[in-house]
Amino acid sequence: MDEYPALALLGGHLATGLVDVTHDATALDSEGFWAVVTDFEGRLTCARFRDVRRTDGRLSRTVPWRGPRADEWTSSLDRVAYTNGVTRIREHIATGEVYQANLCRVLSAPIAPGADVLALSGLLARHNPAPYAGVVRLPRHGVEVATASPELFLRRTGREVESGPIKGTGRTEADLLEKDHAENVMIVDLVRNDLGRVCVPGTVAVPDLCAVEKHPGLVHLVSTVRGRLRAEVGWPELLAATFPPGSVTGAPKVSALRIIEALETAPRGPYCGGIGWVDADRGRGELAVGIRTFWIDRSEQLLRFGTGAGITWGSEPEREWQETELKARRLLSVTSGVPVDRRLVLEG
């Protein structure tokens, strides 16, 4: 295919004119406007752009999106493997190794060589609007990501920092269980601890706990955690203290990550990572948790998408599988051009 030019459309900013790309987080405390993509596995890509303007998120000219057929999606974990994984996590919980762990699977489908994530992001914006939607297109650096994320990972304004962990998902508010609230509180404690490592003692607070947010096709429980960074803390220290996001790992985080590595069969990539922007000149930035996120793997010419659920002692394996289906169905339907109420087969 002819290579599409590098750009980023994030947080109401359209950034073009790529200046440089680095994997060094210290660049985010230097100067300029940066688009940021961090894979769940820890690979950080920071792209500085020369030309940045405000936008409503809509572009007048893009190529049509050419997505995969609905029957071409396959899953890294099928139904049996996933529900067995839920059972295994419950066994780890029973022995006290972990309180909660997020179990995910990666869906893949072939796409045409000319498929463009910018066109996909426009389609998502029309049919599945999200507060942290965006796109980062860096073809020469292996980053082509479109996200419809509803979740704030980190928002920084000077020394003030905020996170908005999501835990608890249902079709309606009536679907949310006591287990969902308990799961949210567990992750809020983890995020408080992470921020407490880099914030001024006594400044970390939770102004909102388990608020219900409505999104297309589902609802979430969302909390807010805020703090004030210590004077010596920059982006490298903040990311080191908080990454990967607690809502997509589990608690305790180190134990959850070990269990995830043993059970999941495919790397998460940008899914469950961090996606967003940093304006180093103004000391501001906003990173979303990379959920409801698509990315193009040019090495295999595949479109990928991740979906998962937080597993606790109160989890039922089949219900958790259905939660991953719920989170994926609408977005895959939009991407494949089928009615959102049509049931897609995601188990292969």
Side-chain angles (χ1 to χ4, degrees):
M1 74 164 200
D2 293 332
E3 187 176 284
Y4 294 113
L7 61 75
L9 186 60
L10 297 161
H13 304 90
L14 173 61
T16 56
L18 182 66
V19 176
D20 55 44
V21 175
T22 181
H23 304 292
D24 183 356
T26 61
L28 302 179
D29 288 318
S30 59
E31 61 182 9
F33 182 93
W34 299 84
V36 181
V37 177
T38 306
D39 287 354
F40 181 78
E41 289 74 27
R43 180 178 182 268
L44 173 69
T45 300
C46 306
R48 184 160 62 98
F49 289 90
R50 179 183 61 250
D51 304 312
V52 183
R53 64 178 176 86
R54 298 295 298 180
T55 176
D56 61 4
R58 292 176 292 182
L59 298 182
S60 57
R61 291 184 297 174
T62 61
V63 298
W65 168 246
R66 292 182 281 177
R69 297 197 317 266
D71 61 357
E72 292 182 308
W73 289 98
T74 60
S75 176
S76 60
L77 295 174
D78 63 16
R79 190 189 209 111
V80 171
Y82 191 87
T83 54
N84 285 345
V86 174
T87 299
R88 185 72 186 110
I89 290 172
R90 292 185 75 252
E91 292 171 355
H92 286 294
I93 294 170
T95 59
E97 297 173 66
V98 71
Y99 301 112
Q100 190 251 60
N102 211 68
L103 183 62
C104 299
R105 54 196 181 101
V106 174
L107 310 173
S108 304
I111 52 168
D116 179 19
V117 290
L118 181 60
L120 174 56
S121 72
L123 192 67
L124 296 175
R126 290 193 298 275
H127 297 285
N128 199 95
Y132 305 104
V135 60
V136 180
R137 188 174 69 188
L138 305 168
R140 294 190 179 184
H141 301 276
V143 176
E144 296 178 79
V145 177
T147 184
S149 177
E151 182 173 0
L152 175 66
F153 172 34
L154 294 170
R155 178 184 293 122
R156 181 181 170 188
T157 305
R159 310 312 301 169
E160 303 301 314
V161 65
E162 177 178 321
S163 186
I166 288 177
K167 268 298 161 205
T169 301
R171 287 182 175 84
T172 67
E173 186 174 351
D175 292 333
L176 298 171
L177 305 175
E178 183 179 341
K179 169 255 181 191
D180 296 305
H181 287 78
E183 187 180 351
N184 191 291
V185 171
M186 274 190 277
I187 296 305
V188 166
D189 283 344
L190 187 154
V191 174
R192 289 175 61 227
N193 182 69
D194 284 352
L195 288 180
R197 295 165 60 190
V198 289
C199 283
V200 176
T203 65
V204 178
V206 184
D208 293 299
L209 183 65
C210 294
V212 177
E213 280 190 5
K214 295 182 179 180
H215 296 273
L218 45 74
V219 298
H220 289 305
L221 289 178
V222 185
S223 296
T224 301
V225 186
R226 292 178 183 152
R228 185 180 309 118
L229 296 173
R230 299 196 305 269
E232 72 276 13
V233 172
W235 278 103
E237 294 80 14
L238 178 56
L239 290 171
T242 58
F243 194 85
S247 63
V248 291
T249 52
K253 187 183 285 188
V254 172
S255 298
L257 286 169
R258 184 179 66 251
I259 292 167
I260 287 167
E261 184 176 8
L263 293 176
E264 295 183 8
T265 59
R268 295 188 187 181
Y271 172 60
C272 294
I275 303 168
W277 58 274
V278 170
D279 186 338
D281 297 325
R282 293 169 176 81
R284 301 173 60 238
E286 188 174 83
L287 303 182
V289 178
I291 58 174
R292 318 294 193 271
T293 295
F294 293 89
W295 68 102
I296 294 177
D297 179 348
R298 292 291 177 191
S299 67
E300 299 188 49
Q301 207 55 39
L302 292 172
L303 181 66
R304 301 195 190 275
F305 178 87
T307 185
I311 313 305
T312 67
W313 176 248
S315 292
E316 299 175 0
E318 180 59 26
R319 178 183 171 87
E320 300 300 340
W321 167 264
Q322 292 301 331
E323 181 174 322
T324 71
E325 293 268 288
L326 173 64
K327 290 173 177 175
R329 187 173 297 121
R330 181 184 182 90
L331 288 167
L332 296 194
S333 296
V334 168
T335 305
S336 294
V338 301
V340 296
D341 58 352
R342 174 177 165 183
R343 184 171 184 81
L344 296 181
V345 177
L346 307 179
E347 301 180 25

